[in-house]
Amino acid sequence: MRNRSLVVSLHDVSPMTRVECGTILAELHALGVPCASLLVIPDHHHRGHMLADAEFGPWLREQAAAGHEVVVHGYHHQRERQGGESLRDKLTTRFYTADEGEFYDLDRASATVLVTKARTEFQQLGVATAGFIAPAWLLSDEAECALRDLQCEYTTRLGDVLDLRSGRSFASQSLVWSVRSAWRRQVSLAWNAFLFGRLTANPLLRISIHPVDLRQAKVWQQIRELVTRALAEREPLTYLAWLTRQRIATTPP
Ligand SMILES: [Zn+2]
């Protein structure tokens, strides 16, 4: 009996990455992962809105019907640089992530507008969404308040899953690979091997995949290996299915 869980999430799903995402999901399925959380960007880098792409909507509905979860993942997945940024801001938004932290310092009103717009557009596409995960997991406190106002069910950060209804946080650091340069790939391979071992006893293991990981042979090989090893003792679930179980487990009879 596998009493621990594995959530595989596929980040940055959009018309721009749809073909690679299809390949990744097919490989995951062959490994034994029938359902993943798909983090979808409505208008990826302003380079093609999901509603304007004739193939994307039917494809996404097909994925949802197959058991995958659709999660709102920012709106443009891009942050404009601003004047007067501190060193910490620069390190976080440019070094940790390449100007992708769209919700890093967003105010409550702007976050409300973007998340509402995204959710309405997913409804137009005919797919249900319950969670919101900020690009690069960078979510400002005000944007988190906006998610609560909008009754989003949950969000995730690098180190935990946050139930926005109860405020309960579940600690589990996600495995994730940075492939932007050779040294980042080397560090990622070593770090994720270490982290996988450290999380053995955690009830939840999170493996976060990006479409670009597929193009890096060593990275992709490690992802396949760790998913396979995790499946020997864990049940694959989506974030929403996993969260629903936690809620049921803590509801008084
Ligand atoms: Zn992303």
Side-chain angles (χ1 to χ4, degrees), residues 164-176:
L164 290 167
R165 240 200 254 173
S166 66
R168 192 170 168 202
S169 152
F170 301 87
S172 173
Q173 172 128 358
S174 182
L175 273 65
V176 62

Side-chain angles (χ1 to χ4, degrees), residues 1-134:
M1 182 66 191
R2 297 181 292 179
N3 57 4
R4 282 171 288 166
S5 309
L6 166 70
V7 173
V8 177
S9 60
L10 178 55
H11 293 225
D12 303 351
V13 179
S14 74
M16 263 165 66
T17 61
R18 182 181 60 82
V19 174
E20 281 157 316
C21 289
T23 305
I24 289 172
L25 291 176
E27 288 207 28
L28 286 172
H29 197 277
L31 291 178
V33 179
C35 55
S37 289
L38 310 183
L39 278 57
V40 183
I41 310 164
D43 188 6
H44 200 166
H45 290 178
H46 303 265
R47 286 171 62 188
H49 199 286
M50 63 180 187
L51 292 179
D53 187 289
E55 289 169 73
F56 190 75
W59 178 82
L60 195 62
R61 285 192 292 276
E62 206 178 292
Q63 306 314 311
H68 298 295
E69 177 197 6
V70 176
V71 185
V72 184
H73 187 45
Y75 195 87
H76 296 111
H77 208 286
Q78 205 166 38
R79 175 181 176 273
E80 299 281 328
R81 291 185 181 181
Q82 292 158 20
E85 291 183 346
S86 68
L87 179 62
R88 189 194 159 140
D89 289 340
K90 285 181 187 163
L91 281 174
T92 307
T93 60
R94 302 180 197 180
F95 182 76
Y96 166 67
T97 181
D99 296 304
E100 311 267 2
E102 184 182 21
F103 281 68
Y104 169 68
D105 47 8
L106 215 54
D107 63 58
R108 194 163 177 164
S110 309
T112 302
V113 168
L114 279 181
V115 176
T116 304
K117 194 164 177 239
R119 289 164 112 199
T120 307
E121 290 166 355
F122 281 108
Q123 275 173 6
Q124 281 174 256
L125 271 190
V127 293
T129 61
F132 176 92
I133 299 175

